[in-house]
Amino acid sequence: MEQQRIKSLIDLLQASDLSELTLSEAGCTLTLARQAGMPPVTPMAVASAPAPMAPVAPTEQPAAPAVSNRDIPSPLYGILHLTPAPGEAPFVTVGQRVEAGTVLCIVEAMKMFHQVQAPQAGVVEALLAEAGSEVDAGQPLVRIGG
């Protein structure tokens, strides 16, 4: 599925009151879902298997790791980048004051880069994952204090 097509689907979901959108096309399935307290929409899963023909009973999702309200979680599974490019300064450092919307890091998934932004102003207390490490959806990445 082309990146522009995915972007248009994200825009469509943002403009609607839907909480989740699933599309199967050419043997690929893409599910987009809103997450409470997170940027409006992020790709959640992409599978290459054809969609099932009959309805499937929902499966129970594993519990997300416990996070404090000061911990900023990863929006999805991917590789964590703490700098905009290799050899450049990090987005944020421990002790730095940030405003709401400040880019804290990037999670790369399937060659798409998803910015993780500060939901509120505060001071970066800790970076909770290492650059280049694989992170899970919901895993705490950065802790921001008052």
Side-chain angles (χ1 to χ4, degrees), residues 41-116:
V41 179
T42 56
M44 290 196 47
V46 176
S48 59
M53 296 306 283
V56 176
T59 59
E60 195 171 308
Q61 296 293 326
V67 296
S68 80
N69 59 358
R70 301 179 313 159
D71 291 351
I72 312 306
S74 175
L76 66 161
Y77 172 83
I79 304 297
L80 178 66
H81 297 282
L82 298 176
T83 61
E88 290 190 18
F91 289 106
V92 294
T93 57
V94 173
Q96 177 180 341
R97 177 117 183 111
V98 295
E99 299 301 320
T102 300
V103 176
L104 304 171
C105 56
I106 291 176
V107 177
E108 176 186 359
M110 302 203 54
K111 301 295 181 193
M112 294 183 70
F113 296 88
H114 305 269
Q115 293 182 348
V116 177

Side-chain angles (χ1 to χ4, degrees), residues 16-34:
S16 74
D17 61 350
L18 296 173
S19 61
E20 185 171 312
L21 173 70
T22 300
L23 175 71
S24 294
E25 186 176 271
C28 291
T29 300
L30 173 69
T31 300
L32 302 173
R34 296 180 196 267

